[in-house]
Amino acid sequence: ASSVVINELMANNKSAVSDQNGEYDDWIELFNNSSQSIDLSGWHLTDDVLLPAKWTFPNGVFIDPGAYLIVWADDDTGQAGLHASFKLSAGGEQLQLVNPNLQVVDEVVFPQLDEDISFARCPNGTGPFSTNEPSFASGNDQRHFGHHS
């Protein structure tokens, strides 16, 4: 199991969370399960198994232990922050996190997603994926549909 995982994603963001430009774009949340800061420089995200290096993290991007990192999947790489060169399909597809050696570190196949519904690991960071109310840049456990703590 990887230290860094794809933890949550939203492929049909209409009004849930906006980026710094006020745009409601697709987003991907990574989570660091380890006790050490991980350097993501040169890692990749892709929605195409034939293009493992579709989008590459810039140098100097770290994810702290127990921390969340958001990548906007909006095909708008000119914007400030982390904006991947592809969008997520609301009809469902595959997303992979790939290390600099082009090894798939984590992957998720997600179904068609309704507006403003995310696909997230529950328990947070380790569990299987299910549809959720979005818990953007925070833990997933409290918001799992049909479960109350």
Side-chain angles (χ1 to χ4, degrees):
S2 167
S3 301
V4 179
V5 296
I6 300 165
N7 199 46
E8 187 174 8
L9 60 86
M10 181 171 280
N12 194 354
N13 181 9
K14 295 296 184 231
S15 62
V17 192
S18 63
D19 71 8
Q20 78 277 3
N21 292 357
E23 297 169 352
Y24 290 92
D25 293 321
D26 301 342
W27 50 269
I28 300 158
E29 177 191 272
L30 303 182
F31 178 73
N32 183 352
N33 276 308
S34 80
S35 58
Q36 289 156 350
S37 188
I38 308 249
D39 183 359
L40 294 176
S41 305
W43 287 45
H44 314 282
L45 284 168
T46 186
D47 62 347
D48 183 343
V49 294
L50 301 178
L51 286 173
K54 189 166 185 178
W55 180 77
T56 304
F57 283 87
N59 286 335
V61 175
F62 288 82
I63 182 169
D64 291 330
Y68 303 90
L69 182 70
I70 298 293
V71 177
W72 296 96
D74 57 3
D75 196 17
D76 203 348
T77 55
Q79 289 186 347
L82 298 175
H83 291 261
S85 57
F86 60 89
K87 299 179 180 181
L88 299 175
S89 170
E93 64 173 345
Q94 183 166 312
L95 177 68
Q96 294 181 327
L97 176 65
V98 181
N99 71 16
N101 299 324
L102 300 184
Q103 296 167 305
V104 175
V105 172
D106 194 24
E107 66 182 329
V108 54
V109 177
F110 61 92
Q112 180 172 335
L113 294 172
D114 293 335
E115 286 184 12
D116 296 336
I117 297 297
S118 76
F119 200 55
R121 288 184 184 278
C122 197
N124 187 69
T126 57
F129 278 88
S130 58
T131 51
N132 276 267
E133 298 174 41
S135 54
F136 182 85
S138 64
N140 299 337
D141 299 337
Q142 302 304 318
R143 297 168 179 260
H144 185 61
F145 281 158
H147 291 78
H148 301 282
S149 54

